[in-house]
Amino acid sequence: DTGVSQDPRHKITKRGQNVTFRCDPISEHNRLYWYRQTLGQGPEFLTYFQNEAQLEKSRLLSDRFSAERPKGSFSTLEIQRTEQGDSAMYLCASSSTGGEGDEQYFGPGTRLTVT
Amino acid sequence: AQRVTQPEKLLSVFKGAPVELKCNYSYSGSPELFWYVQYSRQRLQLLLRHISRESIKGFTADLNKGETSFHLKKPFAQEEDSAMYYCALSPNYQLIWGAGTKLIIKP
């Protein structure tokens, strides 16, 4: 296991198209998080899963955004009808409950450019 | 409101000089605070957390509840410390992040 992986690393799409990103967490981690980061800012929380249950969604996550984690392993983040304002780096992180507490391990991110 | 403020977007110091990266937070409960670092072309990684009270790569950070601060310090900067540093607050499971400080260590 080489850590959290994300696919694709880069995505260029035209406004109005749908895009889907994938995140594979560290295998024994039951918590998975999605963040969005724009230039010059820190990451902003989007949503959080514990196993397959989506427990929290940020108000940043409009109706065009949906995330799933169907079997409690990998997760997908879909953006429908993309807008130029969706251009950002989308980060996935995972963590375990218990002894290691809340250290979140991050993937390399997916950079989305909407033209 | 829960908020993390890093007042400096850029900090440039000479090698061997002391470094202090500032972080202030706004949170009414007992905060759990972290420093994450992102080296060039690498992913975000945890540097240290206040609860462990340890020194990592020569960096330390002390939680000051009176001043609501969690500044990151290192007595003697090294060139390999050049990176982007983020302070983050965890009120529950999510992280609330500052905007980050870019640290440049000049030779």
Side-chain angles (χ1 to χ4, degrees):
Chain A
D1 194 337
T2 56
V4 179
S5 61
Q6 292 186 246
D7 183 68
R9 295 290 304 275
H10 303 273
K11 179 71 177 179
I12 300 174
T13 191
K14 292 185 178 179
R15 188 176 53 188
Q17 297 295 305
N18 299 344
V19 294
T20 300
F21 309 142
R22 177 180 170 122
C23 170
D24 286 89
I26 293 171
S27 57
E28 61 267 27
H29 285 180
N30 60 351
R31 292 180 175 175
L32 187 146
Y33 313 79
W34 285 99
Y35 294 88
R36 181 173 66 187
Q37 186 175 22
T38 52
L39 200 62
Q41 299 298 319
E44 296 172 295
F45 171 78
L46 292 179
T47 190
Y48 153 69
F49 290 85
Q50 180 149 321
N51 300 312
E52 65 276 8
Q54 187 174 19
L55 297 186
E56 183 71 21
K57 288 173 62 173
S58 164
R59 282 169 290 183
L60 290 174
L61 215 63
S62 77
D63 291 345
R64 297 183 297 106
F65 288 71
S66 62
E68 295 183 343
R69 195 183 183 198
K71 297 182 181 178
S73 57
F74 73 92
S75 175
T76 57
L77 177 69
E78 181 184 16
I79 309 174
Q80 296 182 325
R81 304 181 304 281
T82 53
E83 302 173 355
Q84 287 188 322
D86 297 332
S87 294
M89 177 73 87
Y90 290 83
L91 296 168
C92 176
S94 69
S95 71
S96 63
T97 51
E100 287 187 65
D102 299 317
E103 177 176 354
Q104 296 185 19
Y105 294 80
F106 282 82
T110 294
R111 182 170 295 284
L112 172 66
T113 302
V114 182
T115 61
Chain B
Q2 299 161 356
R3 187 168 52 242
V4 175
T5 303
Q6 293 179 252
E8 302 139 329
K9 282 207 170 291
L10 175 66
L11 183 63
S12 181
V13 303
F14 284 103
K15 176 183 172 182
V19 172
E20 183 178 45
L21 298 165
K22 291 184 167 54
C23 172
N24 289 89
Y25 67 90
S26 173
Y27 180 60
S28 56
S30 289
E32 190 164 349
L33 286 151
F34 303 80
W35 278 99
Y36 277 77
V37 61
Q38 187 167 26
Y39 300 102
S40 180
R41 300 185 182 186
Q42 294 187 27
R43 61 188 68 188
L44 275 165
Q45 58 186 281
L46 180 67
L47 179 62
L48 55 79
R49 51 190 299 183
H50 90 273
I51 207 167
S52 60
R53 302 186 64 83
E54 55 189 345
S55 173
I56 305 292
K57 299 184 178 182
F59 284 97
T60 59
D62 290 318
L63 177 60
N64 185 323
K65 290 186 179 181
E67 296 184 357
T68 59
S69 69
F70 187 57
H71 302 329
L72 183 68
K73 299 177 184 179
K74 184 169 183 176
F76 308 104
Q78 299 172 293
E79 287 186 66
E80 54 265 33
D81 296 328
S82 293
M84 197 74 191
Y85 290 80
Y86 294 95
C87 181
L89 165 70
S90 181
N92 39 48
Y93 41 80
Q94 62 170 283
L95 289 170
I96 297 169
W97 300 77
T101 298
K102 185 172 185 176
L103 177 63
I104 296 174
I105 307 301
K106 296 178 286 189

